Amino acid sequence: MLEYFRIPLKSKIAKSRARFELDLPVYTLRDKGTRMIVVVDRIPSEDLREGVLFRQSLAGKALKNILMYADAKADGKLAECAFINFHEFKVMDMDDARRKACESDFTGRIEQFIKKFKPDVVIAMGNDVARFMLDKDDLSGNFGRLTKYKGNRKIKFLYTMGVWDFCPDIPEEKKKEEGKKLQAQASLSGILARHFEYAIRNKNPF
């Protein structure tokens, strides 16, 4: 079952900037099993226009297929999976100090949702999201591996590739000329599916 929910935005910084007010998807597959949150680093342009995360975009359709494939590979152990955007508004053009202040607010919003949703596993898609959520710059040894989330024994954390790494946000009219690039990046979907499978199993493969 697919439903949508909203989380209030937290940051009071840069009030003049357009906020990413989005309906967020949560997949409920069964009553018992792994509860999972996926925090994403990018929002496809189609989804921004519609105001619903991952309903119309190619990335959203790909992530749904990857999630269902990973659940099947994990012998149907996924109970619920919620997707949430990390960024509340654009920060790339800000100076470092202001951007970090904003991203600290973004992390606070995610932390509030974690307390409410009570996941077994949190997946961070993208380096920047992982660094802020873990509050550390060195992510070596963390890629594709489950670790304790900030010392919390009840919650595991896994950091994986960003949304654009496996499914770039290419305008419809340019997709034909960018075909080879799309094919190359689509091959990364297999890696992402394995990472989702590890998370659903709540267990590292080695």
Side-chain angles (χ1 to χ4, degrees), residues 79-99:
E80 278 191 301
C81 180
F83 289 86
I84 179 171
N85 54 300
F86 180 75
H87 295 91
E88 297 182 20
F89 47 82
K90 291 181 179 180
V91 297
M92 293 299 292
D93 59 336
M94 291 182 174
D95 62 64
D96 286 347
R98 200 166 188 227
R99 188 177 71 247

Side-chain angles (χ1 to χ4, degrees), residues 145-188:
R145 288 192 60 77
L146 290 159
T147 57
K148 291 178 184 176
Y149 181 51
K150 295 183 177 178
N152 190 324
R153 293 183 179 181
K154 294 183 179 180
I155 303 176
K156 297 287 181 61
F157 181 88
L158 186 146
Y159 135 64
T160 187
M161 68 188 72
V163 174
W164 289 176
D165 292 328
F166 84 97
C167 192
D169 193 29
I170 297 173
E172 192 66 37
E173 64 273 13
K174 291 187 177 181
K175 284 180 180 176
K176 188 172 182 180
E177 62 188 78
E178 295 281 0
K180 289 184 178 180
K181 182 179 178 182
L182 280 167
Q183 278 187 336
Q185 290 179 295
S187 67
L188 297 174

